[in-house]
Amino acid sequence: MLDRKNKTLTVISIIILALIMLPLILVVITSFNTQSSISLPITGFTLSWYSNIFQQPDFISGFESSLIVALIASISALVIGIPAVYALTRYNIHHAAWFQSFFLSPTLIPEIVIGFALYQAAVITMRIPVFIGLIVGHFLLCLPYVIRLITASMLLMDSHIEEAGWICGCSRKKGFFLIVLPNIKASIIAAFMMCFINSFNNIPVSLFMSGPSLTMLPPSILNYLQNNYDPTVSAISVLLMIFTALMMFLVEKAIGIKNITE
Amino acid sequence: MNRKTAVWLLIPAFLGVLVFTFFPLIQIAIPTFQSKSGFFSLYTQFLKSSFNWAVIGRSFLIAIVTVIVVLILGVPISIWIGRQKTVVRQILNLLILFPMLTNAVVRNFAWIIILGHDGIVNKTLLALHLIKSPLNILYTNTSIIIGSVYLFLPIMINSLIGSVAELNVEIEEAAAVLGSSPWRTLFKVIIPQLTTGILTGCILVFAGTMTAYTTPEILGGNRHLVMATLIYQQAMTLGNWQNASVISLILIVISALSMWLMRRLSHHLDRRPINA
């Protein structure tokens, strides 16, 4: 039987699990190395690479702009996405399925193409400022997560609860804010987290929408990595891993992490 | 009145996607068909170059090998994780989720440490006297494939664990009672029941690898371009936007076609009754 007690299966799985975890552990180890190039085994222990992160203006300003863009893009995806999902699931809309796939269509387009096309159309042709272009691009990355996660929980929520509210004299608008939103709270948090993490980590779109005064964190790390090969990259990688862990911890506390994996 | 409210609620999202996804795509698509020498001439010209074919071929090769490796590694560990007790399964789930949510630069960078000229693999092989000089593993198709496998394996596992947990173990017990070996049970009983999850995972991994930019950029270097890195190079380094548009459209068609094909396939292969 291939159950959890099967020895062959256990051995194979533990090896694969180790292969998944080991590379990240190696990054952590190299970040403390005293040598000026990334190598293993390490020859000494230092935290100077961590302080070097803060000597890189690109990393500091990149972190700030990545944070701001991720926040604005995620929130606008929620503000624009939730009403659309509400309309699709609660009103009798013609071609609702068509709208649904239309809203999900940005996922069908390679991110690098979204970045390139948007750069050409928005920044060059429409003369929209790069920063706005960046937010729009990240909004497009976020919207499908909102549509998918909110639709799922909207369909699970019993619409009779809302109807009961109307009968008791609650207006449709009030019902939306007082009955619907609290009921789908978990999926809103889940959608926000997925949007935020994916926007924050994105490279292809950010790569096109950057200028001399505007760099995002992942492209700056990529750039640094291509020009220098010192443990600063390891150190900032560790900070990013801590960031990921923190996000996961917050999700777990707020709603239980399994809500975002489906 | 109701219908009107609904329309207002839909409009922002509709316009957002229309104006910022479809208009830009149309805008980059139109010039590629406006060549003086014919409607498709830019495409035929692009496909005449053996360099471009090498890039397209490399993209496919990497995506296909990645899917196969991810599948071989992903299925056993998903079965194992899916069958743990709830608490253990949740912890393992977190371990799989963690790399999935970690920045791709970090995950690819890790493999530079491992595969590089002075990396762990080379140092170990040299110390064991298995090789005389360091191997060039980094900046090859192999390193891109390794990086892609690492990037997408958690996604495959994540999409399989759920389906594994739902499997009815009694069916396997029945197979065992009737004399089926564990391996035969795996291929004849477990995997057929996982077809939908496996195919969904394969679609995600194939399309993801085919269109990924970061991994080939970090682990492939300049001489191992794939379509995504070629788009960026043509557009931003060489300023050849027309060419970048041509490749973009080819890439969209490939990724859309592969998704459509695999979706068809999964309907075809999923022989379970609808209510199962």
Side-chain angles (χ1 to χ4, degrees), chain A residues 2 20 40 120 125 226, chain B residues 27-28 83 123 150 217 241:
Chain A
L2 282 175
I20 292 176
L40 279 167
Q120 217 181 8
T125 310
Q226 283 166 339
Chain B
Q27 201 197 352
I28 65 164
R83 304 213 152 150
K123 272 192 177 161
Y150 188 60
E217 173 65 26
W241 290 28

Side-chain angles (χ1 to χ4, degrees), chain A residues 36-51:
Chain A
S36 62
S37 85
I38 303 166
S39 63
L40 279 167
I42 61 171
T43 49
F45 180 91
T46 175
L47 288 175
S48 62
W49 303 112
Y50 287 88
S51 65

